[in-house]
Amino acid sequence: GHKLLRTYKALQGWMKLAPPTTRPPMPLVFLMLILDCLCRSGAADTGLAVLLMFFAYLRPGEATRLHESDIVRPAFKGPPFAINLHPSEKGLSSKVNVSDESILLDSKE
């Protein structure tokens, strides 16, 4: 009983750190319609944030806390760029207490 409960809790924690594959929150065509409306209404910066949240699976709070210093340039010319989420030097951590998560911006879409 007791050991099995601890194993179950450990597995739950692992699933939070390494979730199964995800699917887009909406069809790409809907995203494009939203971006079109935002850009036409003069909110291109908000559109860029929505686009980044969509492809990097960011929460709104994560997107609004990003700074230019959180963008990591590739070591060699060309893609991919990366985002450093929750930089430890800023004393930040994620919902599951993880710092320095890297997200590659390498979508083929």
Side-chain angles (χ1 to χ4, degrees):
H2 178 66
K3 288 184 180 178
L4 189 58
L5 179 61
R6 290 177 67 186
T7 302
Y8 177 74
K9 292 285 188 184
L11 184 58
Q12 278 184 320
W14 177 257
M15 291 302 288
K16 286 182 181 177
L17 287 175
T21 57
T22 56
R23 64 177 197 270
M26 70 179 83
L28 193 56
V29 67
F30 291 159
L31 173 67
M32 295 303 142
L33 289 170
I34 291 169
L35 295 175
D36 182 59
C37 288
L38 287 168
C39 289
R40 288 177 189 266
S41 67
D45 54 342
T46 302
L48 182 59
V50 169
L51 184 68
L52 186 61
M53 285 188 287
F54 183 86
F55 284 109
Y57 293 98
L58 298 179
R59 292 179 177 91
E62 291 172 328
T64 58
R65 283 191 300 270
L66 284 176
H67 292 93
E68 186 178 345
S69 61
D70 299 327
I71 306 299
V72 181
R73 294 185 174 279
F76 301 100
K77 276 195 166 188
F81 280 75
I83 299 171
N84 182 15
L85 284 181
H86 321 294
S88 57
E89 63 267 8
K90 293 180 183 177
L92 299 175
S93 63
S94 71
K95 196 166 105 172
V96 293
N97 204 27
V98 175
S99 293
D100 296 319
E101 283 182 275
S102 294
I103 298 175
L104 290 179
L105 300 176
D106 63 349
S107 177
K108 305 292 187 246
E109 294 185 45

